[in-house]
């Protein structure tokens, strides 16, 4: 999608914050995109256009910025939304999946009954970096009997090659 009008528009509304949350990281701040009616509309309509809505039943967003785009997308298309959350946040019975970080591990959780067996799920997050978070989320959906049909992002850090870890189609509106 590089060079498309939508990619250019998204880029305009993303603020690079150096050394956040720690030294050496350039954080992609999406708050200017969220506060722009034009930017938010382009982001939601853009990720909606990647996959035929008849190919999935539910939208799954990853805490926390995946909730923003995922819920708006679900509402836009008349789908339901399911959250993948950080540990200890979901009140009902959960399935969990851990994944490696640069130092240590992280875990994500989903409700056991979040989707029906065979339910087709579109996976959403704001940004694809190493792919560990989305890989774990895809595994979680499979663990509860669902089928991730694609993973969509607003931003992709292409140089980290995170999409190589994902075994579903991957789409991003703006690739850095
Ligand atoms: P990863 O598991 O490495 O693909 O990291 C993806 C998750 O971490 C997403 O939920 C992002 O919101 C967040 N993330 C990773 N790197 C950045 C970054 N440079 N700027 C903003 N968010 C990031």
């Amino acid at each position: 999608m590089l060079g498309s009008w939508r990619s250019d528009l998204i880029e305009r509304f993303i603020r690079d914050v150096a050394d956040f949350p720690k030294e050496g990281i350039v954080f992609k701040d999406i708050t200017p995109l969220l506060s722009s009616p034009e930017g938010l509309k382009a982001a939601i309509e853009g990720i909606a256009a990647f996959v035929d809505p008849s190919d999935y039943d539910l939208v799954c967003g990853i805490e926390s910025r995946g909730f923003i785009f995922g819920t708006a997308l679900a509402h836009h298309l008349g789908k339901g939304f399911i959250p993948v959350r950080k540990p200890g946040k979901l009140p009902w019975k959960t399935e969990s999946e851990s994944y490696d970080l640069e130092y240590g591990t992280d875990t994500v959780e989903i409700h056991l009954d979040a989707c029906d067996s065979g339910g087709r799920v579109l996976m959403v997050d704001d940004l694809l970096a190493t792919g560990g978070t989305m890989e774990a989320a895809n595994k979680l959906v499979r663990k509860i009997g669902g089928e991730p049909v694609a993973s969509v992002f607003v931003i992709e850090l292409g140089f980290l090659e995170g999409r190589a870890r994902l075994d579903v189609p991957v789409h991003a509106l703006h690739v850095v």
Side-chain angles (χ1 to χ4, degrees):
M1 296 301 286
L2 267 180
S4 74
W5 69 267
R6 215 174 239 134
S7 172
D8 295 346
L9 193 146
I10 301 281
E11 182 176 31
R12 263 206 286 137
F13 289 114
I14 291 165
R15 175 165 51 199
D16 284 359
V17 182
D19 299 322
F20 182 88
K22 56 182 183 183
E23 223 179 303
I25 304 285
V26 178
F27 192 85
K28 298 288 180 186
D29 177 15
I30 55 156
T31 61
L33 179 75
L34 296 177
S35 64
S36 156
E38 182 194 9
L40 185 59
K41 182 172 157 58
I44 300 308
E45 292 181 359
I47 53 176
F50 282 136
V51 183
D52 186 335
S54 66
D55 287 349
Y56 57 94
D57 314 302
L58 287 167
V59 175
C60 175
I62 304 174
E63 187 170 356
S64 60
R65 290 180 295 273
F67 291 177
I68 299 169
F69 296 105
T71 312
L73 173 64
H75 178 71
H76 179 64
L77 295 173
K79 306 284 184 186
F81 175 82
I82 58 178
V84 161
R85 296 212 63 178
K86 291 174 180 150
K89 302 282 188 188
L90 289 167
W92 184 239
K93 294 171 188 165
T94 57
E95 190 61 78
S96 65
E97 181 71 34
S98 294
Y99 57 101
D100 290 332
L101 298 173
E102 195 179 351
Y103 302 104
T105 61
D106 225 335
T107 302
V108 282
E109 296 186 340
I110 197 168
H111 270 154
L112 275 179
D113 59 358
C115 75
D116 293 336
S117 177
R120 299 165 308 163
V121 184
L122 182 73
M123 308 296 293
V124 181
D125 204 357
D126 67 324
L127 182 141
L128 172 63
T130 67
T133 310
M134 185 56 86
E135 184 183 28
N138 285 343
K139 283 183 183 166
L140 271 184
V141 167
R142 290 193 177 114
K143 275 184 175 174
I144 63 164
E147 182 201 338
V149 296
S151 295
V152 301
F153 302 89
V154 177
I155 309 159
E156 175 182 358
L157 304 183
F159 57 92
L160 292 176
E161 296 177 0
R163 64 168 59 218
R165 290 173 74 161
L166 304 178
D167 57 0
V168 296
V170 177
H171 306 279
L173 287 176
H174 177 63
V175 183
V176 180

